[in-house]
Amino acid sequence: MNASNPDGHHPASHFIRNRIQTDLAGDRFVGRHWRSAPGTAAEQATAPADPARIRTRFPPEPNGYLHIGHAKSICLNFGLAKEFGGACHLRLDDTNPTKEEQEYVDAIVEAVHWLGFDWAAFGTSHLYFASDHFETLFAFARALTAAGHAYIDSQTAEAMRATRGTLTEPGQPSPWRNRSTEENLRLLDEMRQGLHPEGAHVLRARIDMASPNLNLRDPVLYRIRHAEHHRTGDAWCVYPMYDYAHPVSDALENITHSICTLEFEDHRPLYNWLLARLADLGHLSRPLPEQIEFARLNLTGTLTSKRRLQTLVTQGLVDGWDDPRMPTIVGLRRRGYTPESIRLFCERIGVARADNWIEPLVLEQSLRDDLEARAPRATAVLDPLRLVIEDWPATQVDPCFAPVHPHQPELGQRTIAFGHELWIEREDFAVNPPKGFFRLTPGGRVRLRYGHVIECTRFDADPNGEIKTVHARVMPDSKSGTPGADQYKVKGNIHWLPADAPQAEIRLFGALFNDPNPAARDDWMDCLNPDSRRVVKARVEASAAQAQAEQRFQFERHGYFVADRHDHGAGAPVFNQSVSLKDSKAR
Ligand code: ATP
Ligand code: MG
C-alpha cells in the first residue's frame, strides 16, 4: 500500500482511513464486478472483477464555483482512492435542471485538475454526470413502484408539508398512499410523457409516516419539472431528487465509500433503505456502498456556500468568482495560492466527525510554508518616496547584487542598480521617528539592502508636510560584501529601487468580511469589509516586471505576491498580494 499522499508526506490517520483499512482487511468489498463503466447488477454481472480496491467520488452540483470547503472533500476523496489503490470519480450531480450550467461544469473540472487530482484510473476516465444515469434511475423508480415501495402522491406541496408531522408528532399518510400499483405506474409513465403540469404529482417512497427520522416519512423521489437541462435538453420532464439520485448513482458507479458532510447523517437510513430495496429486487448487487460522514470545513471570517458566494458575484460586490478575496478555488488561485499549499492545508486541518472552526491563518501559513522554499525574491517599493544621493554622479551606476533565493545560491543573483536617484518606501523615512524606529531619519544612517550605507542630509516637504524628496550622501567603502563594509554600525536595512525601476499595479487585500461568522447572519452582506482591497502604484524590480502571469515572488520585507493571471502583461505589471511574511496577529 502506498501510504503517502501526492506530496509525499506521511498522512496523519483519521477515522475514515481506519474504516477503509478495516473494510479492506475484512474483504468487505471483494467480489464486485466492473465493466469499465457504471451499470446495473445485470450489466455488471458478467464483467471482470473490479480492479479498484475502493471507489470514492466527489459529487458537486454544478451550480457554482468550488470553494475551499470543497477542496477538503476533494483532497479526502481523491487522496484516499490514491492511497488505497482505488479510483475516485468526479460526478457532476446535475439533477436540478434550473440551477445548473455548463460554465460551472467546466470550472469544476478545471478546479479539480488544478488541485492536482485526476479521475482517470485503470484505463477509464471516471467523469460522470448524474444525468448519465437518468434512464436507469427512472427504470429503478418504476421497479420500486411496481414492487409497492413507491407511490404517486397528488397532494399539493403545501398539503404534503402540513401532513409531514414534526420531530415530536408523526406525519399523516397521504390520501393517495394506497393507490393501486397499476394506477401508480400509469401516472408515473404519464408524468414522464409530459402529460401533467409541475406540482400535479410526485413519486414518493412508501416507508413510514411515523418514523422518528423525518427523512423516512415517505420522501419524494421524483418531481415534474418542465425545464431544459444543460445536458439532456428537453428529453426529460421528471427529475430525481438528490436523496434518490445520490445513493443510486453511487451504487451504479460501484462506489464503496460514499463520503459526505455531517448534515447527511440523518439521510443515511434513507440511503441504505433505497439501496437495500433495489438490491433485493435484483437491480443492484451487493456489497452496497456505505455512507460515511465527516465534519465540513468552517473557515473563520468567510463563507462556504455556493449560493451566497454567487450573490456576491451577481450583486457586483466582488469582481467575479475569481476575485482574489473570494474563498473559491479560482479566487485562491488568483490570489497566489498554489495547489500544493491548499493540499497541505487540507492535510493539516485533518478529518474528524466533530464540527470545528479553522482560522484563516492556518491557510495562510500553508502558503508561506510552501512558497518560502521556492518563491524567488525580488524588491517592490509599494509607496515610493524619491531619494536623491547628492554626492553620487547623475550618470554613474553601481550594480548591486542580491540572491534570487537566500538558501539556494544555485538560482543565481539579481542586479539592482544603485545611482543618483532611487526609490525607497515612504514608511521607511520618519521626520519624528517613534521609539524603536531604526530606519531612515534626518541625520540618521541606514543600509540600502545589498548596497551602500547612506546618511540623510535633508528632506523636502510640501506645505501640508508631505515628504516629497529625501536627500542623502553615501558613506565611502560601505557597499555590502566589500572589505570594510561593516565598519558602519547601522541598525536599519531598507529596500530600494533605482529611479527607472518599472511601475507596477499592486493589489493589497484584507479580509472580505469583518465578522468572524458572516454565514450566521441574515444581514451577512452588511458585514462586508469596505477596505478589503487597496490598489497602489508601486515600483518593482525588472525581474518581477518581466515575469510570466502566475509567477510568484517574495517581495522582500512585504510578503508573497503573484503576477495576476489575467491582468499582468508585458509593459503593465500587475501583482496580487498573496500573504504577508508573518501572521499579522503574531507580529
Ligand atoms: P454549497 O452549499 O456550497 O453549494 P454543497 O454541499 O451544497 O455546498 P455540493 O456541490 O453539493 O455543495 O458539494 C459537493 C461535495 O463537497 C459534497 O460531498 C459536500 O459534502 C462537499 N462539501 C461542500 N462544502 C464543504 C465544506 N465546507 N467542507 C467539506 N466538504 C464540503
Ligand atoms: Mg449541494
Side-chain angles (χ1 to χ4, degrees), residues 110 157 202 236 277 286 328 368 446 541:
E110 192 180 346
V202 291
W236 292 89
R277 297 291 85 73
R286 293 187 160 90
T328 51
R368 287 187 198 104
V446 284
E541 210 177 298

Side-chain angles (χ1 to χ4, degrees), residues 144 149-153 160 164 177 202-209 211 213-223 241-244 266-267 269-271 273-274:
L144 289 169
H149 295 312
Y151 63 96
I152 302 294
D153 194 347
M160 280 180 56
R164 198 167 175 235
R177 199 170 195 263
V202 291
L203 180 71
R204 291 179 81 172
R206 184 186 275 113
I207 309 182
D208 180 5
M209 286 306 289
S211 172
N213 183 337
L214 270 66
N215 294 297
L216 293 181
R217 292 185 187 172
D218 292 9
V220 174
L221 305 182
Y222 263 90
R223 67 229 196 275
M241 301 299 289
Y242 174 88
D243 271 343
Y244 173 67
D266 289 348
H267 299 234
L270 174 56
Y271 184 103
W273 184 92
L274 282 164

Side-chain angles (χ1 to χ4, degrees), residues 379-389 416-429 440 448-449 454 467-470 494-504 537-541 557-558:
T379 307
V381 177
L382 302 188
D383 188 3
L385 172 63
R386 185 183 303 275
L387 173 71
V388 174
I389 311 294
I416 310 171
F418 181 83
H420 177 66
E421 262 193 44
L422 308 172
W423 298 108
I424 59 169
E425 207 69 68
R426 184 167 291 278
E427 65 176 24
D428 284 338
F429 178 73
L440 198 58
L448 297 178
R449 224 168 154 79
I454 57 156
I467 311 297
K468 290 291 165 195
T469 308
V470 175
I494 67 175
H495 62 271
W496 55 280
L497 283 170
D500 63 354
Q503 278 197 310
K537 282 272 167 251
R539 298 278 174 164
V540 296
E541 210 177 298
R557 299 179 65 219
H558 285 306

Side-chain angles (χ1 to χ4, degrees), residues 56-100:
T56 56
R57 85 284 169 272
F58 172 64
E61 184 179 355
N63 61 347
Y65 282 66
L66 300 180
H67 51 62
I68 184 69
H70 293 113
K72 177 176 180 181
S73 177
I74 292 168
C75 291
L76 180 62
N77 279 293
F78 282 92
L80 288 169
K82 183 166 176 141
E83 181 182 336
F84 288 103
C88 180
H89 302 188
L90 175 59
R91 182 194 314 141
L92 284 304
D93 199 346
D94 56 351
T95 51
N96 193 349
T98 53
K99 288 198 203 147
E100 296 151 3

Side-chain angles (χ1 to χ4, degrees), residues 165-181:
T166 63
L167 285 173
T168 50
E169 281 170 47
Q172 299 303 314
S174 162
W176 306 105
R177 199 170 195 263
N178 293 314
R179 263 181 162 137
S180 72
T181 300

Side-chain angles (χ1 to χ4, degrees), residues 176-318:
W176 306 105
R177 199 170 195 263
N178 293 314
R179 263 181 162 137
S180 72
T181 300
E182 297 76 64
E183 195 181 346
N184 281 325
L185 287 172
R186 178 178 57 79
L187 284 168
L188 182 60
D189 290 338
E190 287 179 10
M191 282 163 62
R192 176 179 182 169
Q193 287 155 24
L195 303 184
H196 297 283
E198 286 188 13
H201 311 283
V202 291
L203 180 71
R204 291 179 81 172
R206 184 186 275 113
I207 309 182
D208 180 5
M209 286 306 289
S211 172
N213 183 337
L214 270 66
N215 294 297
L216 293 181
R217 292 185 187 172
D218 292 9
V220 174
L221 305 182
Y222 263 90
R223 67 229 196 275
I224 302 171
R225 281 275 181 287
H226 291 280
E228 278 270 315
H229 185 278
H230 74 107
R231 291 186 82 240
T232 57
D234 57 6
W236 292 89
C237 57
V238 287
Y239 289 94
M241 301 299 289
Y242 174 88
D243 271 343
Y244 173 67
H246 196 80
V248 178
S249 301
D250 280 349
L252 292 171
E253 292 179 22
N254 256 20
I255 300 303
T256 55
H257 299 87
S258 179
I259 301 168
C260 63
T261 38
L262 273 180
E263 64 268 27
F264 292 102
E265 186 175 12
D266 289 348
H267 299 234
R268 180 161 21 107
L270 174 56
Y271 184 103
N272 290 337
W273 184 92
L274 282 164
L275 295 187
R277 297 291 85 73
L278 288 165
D280 290 346
L281 292 170
H283 294 296
L284 295 174
S285 49
R286 293 187 160 90
L288 294 166
E290 58 178 9
Q291 176 178 312
I292 307 175
E293 307 87 20
F294 70 101
R296 63 189 291 117
L297 168 66
N298 295 308
L299 196 58
T300 306
T302 192
L303 291 172
T304 46
S305 147
K306 283 194 232 109
R307 191 172 48 80
R308 286 187 171 173
L309 295 174
Q310 176 151 47
T311 304
L312 292 175
V313 174
T314 51
Q315 301 219 358
L317 299 167
V318 293

Side-chain angles (χ1 to χ4, degrees), residues 421-467:
E421 262 193 44
L422 308 172
W423 298 108
I424 59 169
E425 207 69 68
R426 184 167 291 278
E427 65 176 24
D428 284 338
F429 178 73
V431 177
N432 299 303
K435 202 166 177 305
F437 184 91
F438 297 129
R439 293 162 280 166
L440 198 58
T441 57
R445 290 179 184 180
V446 284
R447 174 171 299 284
L448 297 178
R449 224 168 154 79
Y450 312 116
H452 304 260
V453 173
I454 57 156
E455 183 179 277
C456 176
T457 50
R458 63 190 176 90
F459 62 91
D460 307 327
D462 70 10
N464 302 322
E466 183 172 308
I467 311 297

